[in-house]
Amino acid sequence: MSTIDTGFERPQFAASHLIVEHGRAAFIDVGTNHSVSALLGVLAHKGLTPEAVDHVIVTHVHLDHAGGAGALMQHLPNARLVVHPRGARHMIDPTALVAGATAVYGAETVRRSYGELVPVPAARVVEAPEGHLVDLAGRALVCLDTPGHARHHLCVWDARARAFFTGDTFGLSYREFDSARGAFAIPTSTPVQFEPEAMKASIARMLGYDPQAMFLTHYSRVTDVARLAAELCEQIDAFVALAYAVGTPPDRHEKLMAGLDELFLRRARAHGCTLETARIRELLALDIELDAQGLAIWFDKHAAAA
């Protein structure tokens, strides 16, 4: 198994993972259009041709995970795209996906960061419902329906490695925050489908497989899985408490960002992180911005449903 830096945003921010079994290959998450050359380069470095790739699996259709799928598939004649049933239509026709990303990030950022999305032919798209088995030359990769970050999210269980490929359901863990205690992880409430109880249930479900490692898209391999799971669930509860404490004032976004900033700084210091405060804030700036947006959207939906 190889971790490939997709080059999105900064080094060691977003990963693609390549699994090779008996000369056949599968990518899990692929980054953006700008990532395609790096992924093909790793194939060549391993002595594999594009024809050796049988599967491209995307954990969900957010553009930092799946934005480059269409462009990559143009180079992989034998590959099928494996995607959650709720996300399949967006890979076939990415119009709504681009519109949603534009609403969050702005048109200029979408063009610069992701490029023009390439549709995947419907005949090459495989919908992966709960329990879907991807057979990679006899190696079983099992897709689990794991909502919480997005309703179109799946995680991939690799029994051979005793590991999950978790997309964003098991949070984010940037290597800059590693300490003597190991990895530091935070949950992500990126808009627009954050569901705290579903996320905690998905985390608990994965723990039931007794995984020895998790491979996160942001960023790659972590161990000490039970500790990280507990810490993620604590922070998910803290997210909910923060949203309720802030409510809906005119400056809600700023207050949510300030609360998230305080939460992450405090927990990073307790974890043993010795980075300068300014550097911590720099590394987490995008996440804090998006988490605040996602929390506000979740709170408004939850309040309306109450």
Side-chain angles (χ1 to χ4, degrees), residues 130-155:
E130 167 64 29
H132 178 81
L133 175 65
V134 175
D135 182 355
L136 178 62
R139 184 171 185 164
L141 304 174
V142 182
C143 300
L144 301 186
D145 184 15
T146 50
H149 175 72
R151 293 178 182 175
H152 56 272
H153 200 297
L154 59 84
C155 291

Side-chain angles (χ1 to χ4, degrees), residues 172-185 221-225 227-228 231 267-268 270-274:
L172 320 172
S173 180
Y174 303 128
R175 302 280 59 80
E176 293 94 335
F177 291 88
D178 290 354
S179 74
R181 294 188 70 229
F184 173 72
R221 185 176 183 270
V222 297
T223 55
D224 201 2
V225 173
R227 172 183 64 81
L228 290 174
E231 293 176 358
R267 294 191 71 102
H271 182 70
C273 175
T274 59

Side-chain angles (χ1 to χ4, degrees), residues 68-303:
L72 179 64
M73 293 283 287
Q74 292 181 324
H75 297 272
L76 308 177
N78 297 323
R80 296 293 181 267
L81 179 72
V82 180
V83 60
H84 192 285
R86 289 178 179 265
R89 64 187 177 93
H90 297 295
M91 294 285 91
I92 296 166
D93 179 3
T95 304
L97 198 59
V98 173
T102 300
V104 174
Y105 301 107
E108 181 181 347
T109 297
V110 170
R111 283 193 300 269
R112 182 183 67 251
S113 297
Y114 308 109
E116 184 175 349
L117 266 64
V118 177
V120 179
R124 300 186 68 190
V125 174
V126 176
E127 295 188 9
E130 167 64 29
H132 178 81
L133 175 65
V134 175
D135 182 355
L136 178 62
R139 184 171 185 164
L141 304 174
V142 182
C143 300
L144 301 186
D145 184 15
T146 50
H149 175 72
R151 293 178 182 175
H152 56 272
H153 200 297
L154 59 84
C155 291
V156 180
W157 171 242
D158 180 359
R160 175 79 56 82
R162 297 214 57 78
F164 273 103
F165 296 85
T166 65
D168 286 346
T169 300
F170 203 76
L172 320 172
S173 180
Y174 303 128
R175 302 280 59 80
E176 293 94 335
F177 291 88
D178 290 354
S179 74
R181 294 188 70 229
F184 173 72
I186 62 174
T188 173
S189 57
T190 299
V192 292
Q193 293 181 343
F194 173 61
E195 294 173 316
E197 293 305 316
M199 184 177 284
K200 290 194 293 183
S202 291
I203 290 170
R205 186 173 179 216
M206 287 189 283
L207 280 185
Y209 283 70
D210 190 27
Q212 302 306 297
M214 301 295 212
F215 288 90
L216 285 56
T217 303
H218 311 283
Y219 184 82
S220 202
R221 185 176 183 270
V222 297
T223 55
D224 201 2
V225 173
R227 172 183 64 81
L228 290 174
E231 293 176 358
L232 286 167
C233 290
E234 289 171 2
Q235 291 174 87
I236 293 166
D237 289 341
F239 277 25
V240 170
L242 174 64
Y244 274 105
V246 169
T248 58
D251 60 346
R252 171 169 65 172
H253 184 69
E254 290 73 20
K255 288 183 175 179
L256 287 172
M257 287 185 64
L260 291 165
D261 176 83
E262 188 279 330
L263 172 68
F264 293 153
L265 277 173
R266 173 169 49 81
R267 294 191 71 102
R269 293 301 183 212
H271 182 70
C273 175
T274 59
L275 295 172
E276 295 286 341
T277 297
R279 178 59 173 159
I280 294 175
R281 287 182 165 139
E282 178 186 11
L283 291 169
L284 296 180
L286 178 60
D287 296 307
I288 289 173
E289 169 69 31
L290 295 176
D291 286 347
Q293 291 182 34
L295 274 179
I297 292 169
W298 168 79
F299 184 82
D300 289 345
K301 288 179 180 177
H302 188 73

